Amino acid sequence: MISIEQLYDLFEQHPVITTDSRDCPAGSIFFALKGETFNGNQYAKQALDKGCAYAVVDEIAKEDEDDKRMFLVDNVLLTLQQLAQFHRRRLGTTVIGITGTNGKTTTKELIAAVLKRKYNILYTQGNFNNSIGVPKTVLQLRPEHELAVIEMGASHPGDINELVNIAEPNYGIITNVGRAHLLGFGSFEGVVRTKGELYDFIRQHGGTVFINAADTNLMGIADGLRLIKYADDGNFISSDPFLRFKWNGHEVQTQLIGAYNINNALAAAMIGHNFGVPDDDICQALSEYTPSNNRSQFVQTATNRLIVDAYNANPTSMMASLRNFSDMKATNKLAILGDMRELGEVSQDEHCNIIRFLASQGIEAWLVGGEFAKAADSLSTSDIAGYASSVRCFADAEAIKHYIADNQPADRTILVKGSNGTRLFTLPEIL
């Protein structure tokens, strides 16, 4: 068995990691990961033939046992994580860890936009924030990086604890805690405990937390931490459709949809301020950031104005989006909403709550997915009196696409929001 120290010596000579046998840069190291439907060990030889210098495996064919380019370990994923931790400790880069139920990716992007004004930084690309994505991101750290912003996601208890012990953040931020992945967490309290694992690590290692002081859930688990508060440093001005706010005496016009993004922007501003980024640069970075990842994104098509927030959805984020949509000064509104996934036994209640809110605001809705369909069927006429005719239900994205082909909406302001698995992100191009 190869030790982490020996493997790190090879990594220093071959500092590119791949876990995909279809993507094998010359001289890289292939980590043969396994999952429920794949076994990377079966492709290790192929990865070497395509250009990888070495392969790390936890299963090896007898005919390959003498291949000096293959290294057998007990568990490839654990080895990848241990290598990343070793690398992080070797470089000693200052790391900001970020998690939260909603807004963590947008906040991470805003923090990166601000910090790049002064520093050479590494930050999580896309949403590579899980047990594979975090170590792969950490292994991209180079001596020239002055700061790293590492996003960490979770859907089960212990997930954040696993990730903080890889990235070992000096600073931490939890954007918020909400009702998401309840099937995995078991309860809202389970969400709070798991997200709080970031605070636990920071507390144990003497780091610092950036915190929304107005969030009682976060303040309630922040005892014993060194805190930098940001909620009191901004004033909301408007969000019709783009967020405009004041911060530290400066007025900032963003390209983000939704009043709920003010805390994300304030977090980025406070973090930039803490790291010595000039206020004017902070404001410019926040003003120029343009979302392009189906999050808080405004799209003007030939016939409609779209608010696209179709990457994820849970009861907290869905209600925040709908309240913002309701408050917008627009006529002829239409909400196209997809199922909120992984809610377990509270799923029907939460989907019913969304439909009741739509009814209370008189917003026409096209609902996509079985969970919304069951909720709509369960509501009595008295629950949504006079509103039922304003709701259409569709089995999936393909079904609503067929409907749109024959019933093209025009001159509408349309909110598109749902869990990524509902594939509503495919709709804007036909709206």
Side-chain angles (χ1 to χ4, degrees), residues 263-280:
N263 287 332
N264 302 334
L266 288 173
M270 178 53 68
I271 290 172
H273 184 75
N274 181 78
F275 283 97
V277 180
D279 283 5
D280 287 346

Side-chain angles (χ1 to χ4, degrees), residues 24-195:
C24 297
S28 60
I29 302 177
F30 175 70
F31 279 75
L33 298 175
K34 289 187 291 192
E36 292 182 4
T37 60
F38 65 92
N39 186 345
N41 293 290
Q42 297 173 355
Y43 302 97
K45 188 68 184 304
Q46 179 181 321
L48 292 169
D49 291 342
K50 283 187 173 182
C52 289
Y54 299 101
V56 179
V57 300
D58 46 27
E59 297 173 12
I60 192 166
K62 191 159 185 67
E63 62 268 23
D64 295 326
E65 287 179 352
D66 294 328
D67 191 330
K68 302 299 184 185
R69 300 172 300 169
M70 289 195 188
F71 297 104
L72 184 66
V73 298
D74 289 330
N75 182 302
V76 171
L77 176 58
L78 182 59
T79 299
L80 177 68
Q81 294 172 342
Q82 290 173 340
L83 182 67
Q85 182 196 60
F86 192 94
H87 181 57
R88 186 264 178 277
R89 290 179 177 178
R90 178 66 64 90
L91 290 184
T93 311
T94 296
V95 173
I96 302 167
I98 178 169
T99 191
T101 302
N102 302 305
K104 58 182 174 293
T105 299
T106 296
T107 305
K108 176 259 300 181
E109 294 287 327
L110 291 171
I111 293 169
V114 167
L115 293 178
K116 282 193 290 188
R117 296 284 169 154
K118 183 174 180 179
Y119 298 98
N120 183 341
I121 72 166
L122 173 76
Y123 62 103
T124 301
Q125 297 300 300
N127 67 323
F128 296 141
N129 59 16
N130 61 11
S131 60
I132 298 171
V134 168
K136 288 180 71 174
T137 298
V138 170
L139 285 166
Q140 293 173 19
L141 275 171
R142 299 293 177 261
E144 58 268 24
H145 289 129
E146 298 167 282
L147 292 168
V149 183
I150 307 296
E151 180 182 336
M152 294 171 281
S155 55
H156 297 87
D159 284 352
I160 297 300
N161 183 61
E162 176 185 37
L163 300 179
V164 293
N165 280 288
I166 297 168
E168 297 189 344
N170 310 94
Y171 295 83
I173 174 172
I174 302 175
T175 55
N176 50 56
V177 285
R179 295 174 64 79
H181 299 294
L182 297 182
L183 186 61
F185 290 121
S187 65
F188 174 70
E189 290 73 23
V191 178
V192 176
R193 283 194 300 271
T194 301
K195 300 300 183 182

